[in-house]
Amino acid sequence: MITWNNLDTLASYKELFNLDKVNLKEAMSGENGAERVKNYSIPMAEGLSYNFAAKQVDDKILEALKKLAEEAQLTEKFEALYNGEVINTGEKRRVLHHLTRGQLGNAVEADGTDKRAFYTEQQRKIAEFAGKVHAGEITNGAGEKFTTVVQIGIGGSDLGPRAMYLALENWAKKNGLFKMEAKFISNVDPDDAAAVLASIDVAHSVFILVSKSGTTLETLTNESFVKDALVNAGLNPSKHMVAVTSETSPLAKSDDYLAAFFMDDYIGGRYSSTSAVGGAVLSLAFGPEVFAQFLDGAAAADKTAVNKDVWQNPAMLDALIGVYERNVLGYPSTAVLPYSQALSRFPAHLQQLDMESNGKSVNRFGEPVEYVTGPLIFGEPGTNGQHSFYQLLHQGTDIVPLQFIGFRKNQMDTDVVIQGSTSQQKLCANVAAQIMAFACGKEDENRNKNFEGGRPSSIIIGGQLTPGAMGALLAHFENKVMFQGFLWNLNSFDQEGVQLGKVLAKRVLAHETEGALKVFSDFLDI
Amino acid sequence: MITWNNLDTLASYKELFNLDKVNLKEAMSGENGAERVKNYSIPMAEGLSYNFAAKQVDDKILEALKKLAEEAQLTEKFEALYNGEVINTGEKRRVLHHLTRGQLGNAVEADGTDKRAFYTEQQRKIAEFAGKVHAGEITNGAGEKFTTVVQIGIGGSDLGPRAMYLALENWAKKNGLFKMEAKFISNVDPDDAAAVLASIDVAHSVFILVSKSGTTLETLTNESFVKDALVNAGLNPSKHMVAVTSETSPLAKSDDYLAAFFMDDYIGGRYSSTSAVGGAVLSLAFGPEVFAQFLDGAAAADKTAVNKDVWQNPAMLDALIGVYERNVLGYPSTAVLPYSQALSRFPAHLQQLDMESNGKSVNRFGEPVEYVTGPLIFGEPGTNGQHSFYQLLHQGTDIVPLQFIGFRKNQMDTDVVIQGSTSQQKLCANVAAQIMAFACGKEDENRNKNFEGGRPSSIIIGGQLTPGAMGALLAHFENKVMFQGFLWNLNSFDQEGVQLGKVLAKRVLAHETEGALKVFSDFLDI
């Protein structure tokens, strides 16, 4: 029997405040520190591991967090979710993105179909379509092969798929699996679409229009923009466009598209990279086999998230430590710092995933909560960030918990030896050094050169950023955010906070405003 | 006589805590709100304006902030800075980036030269070099024109110039002023350089190596990487490389470079976009005339920052309101939200500018301060962010002050009318709508659809993102950060917080580690 309780009603949560805080500087020093790094490391899917040695936890706190996980029924709630219960209570929807990459529990039937079968059928259709495009069986009006794919979408239809594409682009090129270049149009700023269109060969481009509802204003506007460009180039838009949408949307059965692939209401935009939303563009760019490997990695990570034992469940442990940092230690933000240029836009995806899911003030019953919820998420790749905002992370007046990501091997083979080490070794040496610099600091009589230390971080370490590793990373964070939503007793799967702006913007465009909004509109010449 | 005092010793600062807080929701409603939008707007350089109607201030608070500016001697301190005093006390250096775009005060002599003359001489040399490249007088070894310029640099040698290039790329193309494509290599991750090199025609590329000291490890490593690629392509690296460095660096007089352009110790990396660091790449990409317009915009903004009256000094007012939000209202972060896709990387530049300048815990005398200093800065362009992290900004448990930027006109001419409005009108309608949604919220019986409001923002409104407007925007934020550093009594011009990581990374590469760092190094196969 599952009960949904606010975090501050749980005995094990209150207990956390009674435990001694960890002095990270001490804990990470000397042999004790070395032991922590060995012991506080747990395996993840796809050869990744999650190391939390430099977090402000110890065995007692971890034991208490384990109790919290049990009391909050995290495993049971996840089970209910993947078995198809209506977990998205606000919108009265199931939450089924896990089914796009595997089946963790019972068959889930909805809308008269088995949903796992529905999602795999979309994958099959996409794979078939991509295969025909790559083979030159589906071509442009002149019978020529498509060379470029352009995704038109915003938010979850953009950030996740774009981050995944950038993560795997060089890997695919290196491994002879690169099929088509991908580009992305998202912003309603007309210069976004204009710049992308100017950078491609429109006659040899296929466009994927992504909108679940078929009514997203930015996306429909950019579709028109692209259609104008196609027509102006003497091309027939319906020979160049594909739709990814829900079966009930106005786009679903239109003759305006070469093909339509479906998602549904049970896949939130920010959880849609493993659905047709990511599937179409990634399968076209890298081939369906690479997309399948990516799904397998995500499925493997999902399996670890089912474990009741937190020591075998990295997403749950990561979630628990994050809530401890946010609610007990009081840190309001988290930086995501991948030491991999390929992950340059992964922080932007996680920013949406986390902040849109758990940036809420009411619980799943619509009652205000009395504790803080989702933190602010931001980040840039290392080592770039070291030469930028790390100054504040090291010596600023606030403490920002850090999430590092690093790989032993880079994606491409070329490297260079300078001063006795390769670039890849320098990259890895830097992330290791940063963890220790943040944790232990360094005393200096010149206070300006003094490092307090005590700044917590964790690191996910992998062998190489492959499609499987990318899938596992993505699913790890999705599941972490889900578990945190359970802990905070939120509905992590709606986003009512985006509505008011849309309503007011429509009013501005209809010139139905008064007061301050009218003056702002005038200043902006609308 | 200037005295450098900690913020919490100032009477006018303490007075701020005694003033009633502004109820933003009330203040921005009805006719009162309309009046605020009209009155709380001040002109900036280049036709921009700074509107702070939706900030939590009123006439009383503004009056107190004005007193604070006087008591903290902001104008006098800026005057000392631009007249060449050693304001960077930690490194015992002058702070002269304003001289790269104009002369606000006395002639500044250092190292035996007039510094304004030194910087303009570098601009002249760069303009001459760029002119010859564009005219085909300086060519590759085969006598062919260069078509691409690649900046090799990290931190301030990367983020600012890259953000400026992206901001002006489409404007230059639209106006027939685009000369050469620019690319950027920054990360020590070897895949960064490899991917950029794979995307360009190396034989027709000129590379700019940017390192003030000539010792930045990432940059020297990437230089070697690029040289290897040039040699492997049968090319002579010295025919393809330019250096931007200080006159005393090992790179300055080397035959390895086609030319060398100089900056000096008085230009911090994050303040170097208007020096040769930005000058070389932007002059090559868009021509020296465009770069000169950009400098003129920055110079015009600097002039407004000299005004003693805060109502005529937008950078100072912005700084004061920011300190009020950070120290009196207690908000730990600020989001920068440009409604312009061209400004997609401007938030990343501001993140460095602000967090590296003011992310400090000791005052300019090396004494710990008892108040919070620089906030966390992050951001993405709108409308993209609306479909991402805005959920938390609207309905999360923490309040995040917002800095919007918007333009009446886009950079390129193409647009499309959908549902009775252009994309540009939709873009502007959205930013206006967001300001009001954040400020006033909207009550709803369904608490999940309730918007508390009371979330403060300001907006900078411009006509179009031209080179001049970009220069003015850049200088506005540089001067804002400088004034905030004065208020917090920090040295905003050093960055000791980046040193410890470098030292430890070297130790890892030399295999001179023990304890936790040794174990991390082993896990990462270093």
Side-chain angles (χ1 to χ4, degrees):
Chain A
M1 176 67 189
I2 292 174
T3 53
W4 299 92
N5 295 313
N6 280 3
L7 179 64
D8 55 1
T9 65
L10 304 182
S12 50
Y13 172 69
K14 291 174 197 161
E15 181 57 27
L16 282 169
F17 288 88
N18 299 326
L19 298 175
D20 289 338
K21 305 290 179 287
V22 170
N23 181 325
L24 190 57
K25 196 168 168 173
E26 270 177 37
M28 286 298 283
S29 297
E31 266 318 294
N32 187 29
E35 284 305 306
R36 268 178 81 94
V37 181
K38 288 176 202 158
N39 296 335
Y40 282 1
S41 172
I42 63 174
M44 301 170 65
E46 297 283 332
L48 303 170
S49 63
Y50 172 65
N51 194 299
F52 52 99
K55 284 292 190 188
Q56 275 177 273
V57 295
D58 59 15
D59 289 348
K60 277 187 188 164
I61 292 167
L62 289 165
E63 195 52 41
L65 290 172
K66 196 175 166 173
K67 274 189 204 151
L68 177 60
E70 287 162 15
E71 191 180 0
Q73 300 178 297
L74 298 188
T75 307
E76 293 82 352
K77 286 172 184 170
F78 183 28
E79 196 181 349
L81 183 146
Y82 62 68
N83 281 330
E85 271 191 37
V86 177
I87 296 294
N88 178 352
T89 43
E91 299 175 306
K92 300 192 174 48
R93 291 174 180 174
R94 295 173 172 82
V95 176
L96 301 182
H97 54 273
H98 298 89
L99 280 182
T100 59
R101 56 231 192 187
Q103 177 117 27
L104 292 166
N106 305 331
V108 178
E109 204 170 296
D111 312 332
T113 55
D114 175 271
K115 293 312 293 187
R116 171 72 183 146
F118 171 77
Y119 298 130
T120 51
E121 170 62 9
Q122 300 311 311
Q123 287 161 16
R124 196 197 57 71
K125 278 169 54 188
I126 289 170
E128 189 184 331
F129 180 83
K132 286 185 181 172
V133 168
H134 298 151
E137 293 166 30
I138 294 175
T139 61
N140 71 4
E144 299 156 336
K145 276 177 89 162
F146 290 115
T147 57
T148 305
V149 49
V150 183
Q151 177 109 329
I152 309 172
I154 195 165
S157 304
D158 169 53
L159 291 166
R162 191 194 293 249
M164 301 303 110
Y165 173 77
L166 293 174
L168 299 175
E169 181 182 11
N170 291 325
W171 179 90
K173 284 179 178 165
K174 176 69 206 156
N175 290 282
L177 296 164
F178 190 75
K179 310 285 185 188
M180 296 168 77
E181 191 181 28
K183 299 266 186 174
F184 297 83
I185 296 173
S186 52
N187 204 327
V188 77
D189 178 349
D191 291 347
D192 187 17
V196 171
L197 289 170
S199 75
I200 60 170
D201 171 10
V202 179
H204 298 93
S205 296
V206 59
F207 297 84
I208 309 176
L209 183 77
V210 187
S211 172
K212 183 156 66 182
S213 63
T215 61
T216 314
L217 187 62
E218 280 91 343
T219 302
L220 294 184
T221 303
N222 279 321
E223 181 192 25
S224 278
F225 201 103
V226 166
K227 280 187 174 169
D228 282 358
L230 287 163
V231 170
N232 289 343
L235 302 162
N236 177 354
S238 69
K239 294 279 180 198
H240 287 262
M241 299 197 98
V242 170
V244 174
T245 188
S246 66
E247 283 181 295
T248 54
S249 110
L251 315 175
K253 305 244 146 73
S254 163
D255 287 340
D256 290 352
Y257 305 100
L258 274 172
F261 308 113
F262 301 125
M263 59 184 309
D264 59 30
D265 283 345
Y266 314 125
I267 311 282
R270 56 196 175 273
Y271 296 92
S272 68
S273 291
T274 54
S275 78
V277 172
V281 63
L282 297 175
S283 297
L284 283 164
F286 309 134
E289 296 77 15
V290 170
F291 184 65
Q293 291 168 31
F294 168 70
L295 294 182
D296 288 346
D302 289 343
K303 275 195 191 134
T304 68
V306 168
N307 289 321
K308 250 191 130 66
D309 179 0
V310 293
W311 288 89
Q312 294 180 55
N313 190 331
M316 190 186 285
L317 187 56
D318 197 355
L320 289 160
I321 293 174
V323 167
Y324 178 72
E325 286 177 331
R326 176 79 166 125
N327 296 84
V328 181
L329 301 176
Y331 304 142
S333 56
T334 294
V336 182
L337 308 166
Y339 275 61
S340 164
Q341 189 63 26
L343 290 177
S344 61
R345 291 300 286 169
F346 192 49
H349 167 65
L350 294 185
Q351 188 172 58
Q352 176 187 17
L353 176 68
D354 204 320
M355 293 173 73
E356 197 173 24
S357 294
N358 291 335
K360 299 182 180 159
S361 303
V362 298
N363 69 12
R364 53 191 298 107
F365 307 111
E367 301 153 355
V369 295
E370 305 278 320
Y371 42 83
V372 293
T373 60
L376 191 161
I377 303 286
F378 74 105
E380 291 286 335
T383 57
N384 292 6
Q386 292 179 200
H387 295 259
S388 167
F389 55 88
Y390 277 37
Q391 164 66 41
L392 182 145
L393 302 182
H394 279 290
Q395 293 189 316
T397 48
D398 293 2
I399 288 182
V400 179
L402 313 170
Q403 170 72 68
F404 290 106
I405 302 170
F407 300 94
R408 293 180 196 95
K409 219 171 155 294
N410 55 315
Q411 290 182 313
M412 293 165 97
D413 261 356
T414 37
D415 205 334
V416 63
V417 174
I418 296 287
Q419 299 176 9
S421 59
T422 63
S423 288
Q424 179 62 26
Q425 286 170 323
K426 290 184 185 76
L427 184 69
C428 285
N430 271 282
V431 71
Q434 289 295 334
I435 294 172
M436 292 306 293
F438 281 115
C440 294
K442 183 178 147 290
E443 282 181 30
D444 198 302
E445 279 185 26
N446 178 344
R447 293 285 314 217
N448 195 30
K449 298 179 189 232
N450 189 66
F451 290 77
E452 289 283 345
R455 297 175 184 235
S457 67
S458 60
I459 180 167
I460 292 173
I461 298 175
Q464 190 185 37
L465 183 57
T466 60
M470 187 65 249
L473 262 182
L474 178 81
H476 171 82
F477 284 102
E478 288 181 1
N479 293 326
K480 171 190 171 176
V481 167
M482 171 193 73
F483 284 130
Q484 292 192 327
F486 291 158
L487 287 161
W488 286 315
N489 205 26
L490 307 173
N491 176 8
S492 303
F493 304 100
D494 66 354
Q495 53 283 323
E496 292 294 341
V498 308
Q499 296 303 330
L500 178 55
K502 285 188 202 173
V503 172
L504 294 183
K506 275 193 186 161
R507 220 174 281 165
V508 173
L509 290 168
H511 300 281
E512 291 168 0
T513 56
E514 54 188 14
L517 189 49
K518 171 87 170 66
V519 185
F520 273 128
S521 305
D522 291 345
F523 280 178
L524 282 155
D525 280 356
I526 305 162
Chain B
M1 175 68 187
I2 292 175
T3 54
W4 300 91
N5 295 314
N6 280 3
L7 178 64
D8 55 1
T9 65
L10 305 182
S12 50
Y13 173 68
K14 292 173 197 161
E15 182 58 27
L16 282 169
F17 289 87
N18 299 328
L19 298 176
D20 289 337
K21 306 290 178 288
V22 170
N23 181 326
L24 190 57
K25 197 169 166 171
E26 270 178 35
M28 286 297 284
S29 297
E31 265 318 293
N32 186 27
E35 285 305 307
R36 265 178 83 92
V37 182
K38 287 177 204 158
N39 295 335
Y40 283 2
S41 172
I42 63 174
M44 300 170 67
E46 297 284 334
L48 303 170
S49 63
Y50 173 64
N51 194 299
F52 52 100
K55 285 292 190 188
Q56 275 177 273
V57 294
D58 59 14
D59 289 348
K60 277 187 189 164
I61 292 168
L62 290 166
E63 195 52 42
L65 289 173
K66 194 174 166 177
K67 274 189 204 149
L68 176 59
E70 285 162 16
E71 191 179 0
Q73 299 178 296
L74 297 187
T75 306
E76 292 82 352
K77 287 172 184 169
F78 183 30
E79 194 181 352
L81 183 146
Y82 62 67
N83 281 330
E85 271 191 38
V86 178
I87 296 294
N88 178 353
T89 45
E91 299 176 306
K92 300 193 174 48
R93 292 175 181 172
R94 296 172 171 83
V95 176
L96 301 183
H97 55 271
H98 297 91
L99 280 182
T100 60
R101 56 231 191 187
Q103 178 117 26
L104 292 165
N106 305 332
V108 179
E109 202 169 297
D111 313 332
T113 55
D114 176 273
K115 294 311 294 188
R116 171 73 184 146
F118 171 77
Y119 298 130
T120 50
E121 170 62 9
Q122 300 311 310
Q123 287 161 18
R124 195 198 56 73
K125 279 169 55 188
I126 289 170
E128 188 184 331
F129 179 85
K132 286 184 179 173
V133 168
H134 299 152
E137 293 166 29
I138 294 175
T139 62
N140 70 3
E144 298 157 340
K145 275 177 93 162
F146 290 115
T147 57
T148 305
V149 50
V150 182
Q151 176 109 326
I152 308 172
I154 195 164
S157 303
D158 170 51
L159 292 166
R162 193 193 293 248
M164 301 304 111
Y165 173 76
L166 293 173
L168 299 177
E169 182 182 9
N170 291 326
W171 179 90
K173 283 179 179 165
K174 176 69 206 156
N175 291 282
L177 296 165
F178 190 75
K179 310 284 185 187
M180 295 167 77
E181 191 180 28
K183 298 267 185 172
F184 296 83
I185 297 174
S186 54
N187 204 326
V188 78
D189 179 349
D191 291 347
D192 187 16
V196 171
L197 288 171
S199 76
I200 60 171
D201 171 10
V202 179
H204 298 93
S205 296
V206 59
F207 297 84
I208 309 175
L209 184 76
V210 187
S211 171
K212 183 157 66 181
S213 64
T215 62
T216 314
L217 186 62
E218 280 90 345
T219 302
L220 294 184
T221 303
N222 279 321
E223 180 192 26
S224 278
F225 201 104
V226 166
K227 280 186 174 170
D228 283 359
L230 288 163
V231 169
N232 290 341
L235 301 163
N236 177 356
S238 69
K239 295 279 181 199
H240 287 262
M241 300 196 96
V242 170
V244 173
T245 188
S246 66
E247 282 181 295
T248 55
S249 112
L251 314 175
K253 305 245 144 76
S254 164
D255 287 340
D256 290 352
Y257 305 100
L258 274 173
F261 307 113
F262 300 126
M263 59 185 309
D264 59 31
D265 283 345
Y266 314 126
I267 310 284
R270 55 195 175 273
Y271 297 91
S272 68
S273 292
T274 52
S275 77
V277 172
V281 63
L282 297 175
S283 297
L284 282 164
F286 308 134
E289 295 76 16
V290 170
F291 184 65
Q293 289 168 32
F294 167 70
L295 294 182
D296 288 347
D302 289 343
K303 274 195 192 135
T304 67
V306 167
N307 288 323
K308 249 190 132 62
D309 179 0
V310 295
W311 288 90
Q312 294 180 56
N313 190 330
M316 190 186 284
L317 186 56
D318 197 353
L320 289 160
I321 294 173
V323 167
Y324 178 72
E325 286 178 331
R326 176 77 167 127
N327 296 85
V328 181
L329 300 176
Y331 304 142
S333 55
T334 294
V336 182
L337 307 167
Y339 275 61
S340 162
Q341 188 64 22
L343 290 177
S344 62
R345 292 300 286 170
F346 192 50
H349 167 66
L350 295 184
Q351 189 172 56
Q352 176 187 18
L353 176 69
D354 203 320
M355 294 174 72
E356 198 173 25
S357 293
N358 291 335
K360 298 182 182 158
S361 303
V362 298
N363 69 13
R364 54 190 297 109
F365 306 111
E367 301 153 355
V369 296
E370 305 278 321
Y371 42 83
V372 293
T373 60
L376 192 160
I377 303 287
F378 74 105
E380 292 284 337
T383 59
N384 292 4
Q386 290 178 202
H387 295 259
S388 170
F389 55 87
Y390 276 37
Q391 164 66 41
L392 182 144
L393 303 182
H394 279 290
Q395 291 188 318
T397 49
D398 293 1
I399 288 183
V400 179
L402 312 170
Q403 170 71 69
F404 291 105
I405 302 169
F407 300 94
R408 293 180 196 96
K409 215 168 156 298
N410 56 316
Q411 291 183 314
M412 294 164 95
D413 260 356
T414 37
D415 205 333
V416 62
V417 175
I418 296 286
Q419 298 174 10
S421 59
T422 63
S423 289
Q424 179 62 26
Q425 285 170 323
K426 290 183 185 77
L427 184 68
C428 286
N430 271 281
V431 70
Q434 289 295 333
I435 295 172
M436 291 306 292
F438 281 114
C440 294
K442 183 179 148 289
E443 281 180 32
D444 196 302
E445 279 185 26
N446 178 344
R447 293 285 313 213
N448 196 30
K449 298 180 189 230
N450 190 65
F451 291 77
E452 288 283 343
R455 297 175 184 237
S457 68
S458 60
I459 181 167
I460 293 172
I461 298 175
Q464 190 185 37
L465 183 57
T466 59
M470 186 66 251
L473 261 182
L474 179 82
H476 171 82
F477 284 102
E478 288 180 2
N479 294 326
K480 171 189 172 177
V481 167
M482 171 193 72
F483 284 129
Q484 292 192 327
F486 290 158
L487 287 161
W488 286 316
N489 205 25
L490 306 174
N491 175 7
S492 303
F493 304 100
D494 66 355
Q495 54 282 322
E496 292 295 339
V498 309
Q499 296 302 331
L500 178 56
K502 284 189 203 174
V503 172
L504 294 182
K506 274 193 185 162
R507 221 175 277 165
V508 173
L509 290 168
H511 298 282
E512 289 169 359
T513 57
E514 53 187 14
L517 188 49
K518 170 85 173 67
V519 186
F520 273 127
S521 304
D522 291 345
F523 281 177
L524 283 155
D525 280 359
I526 305 161

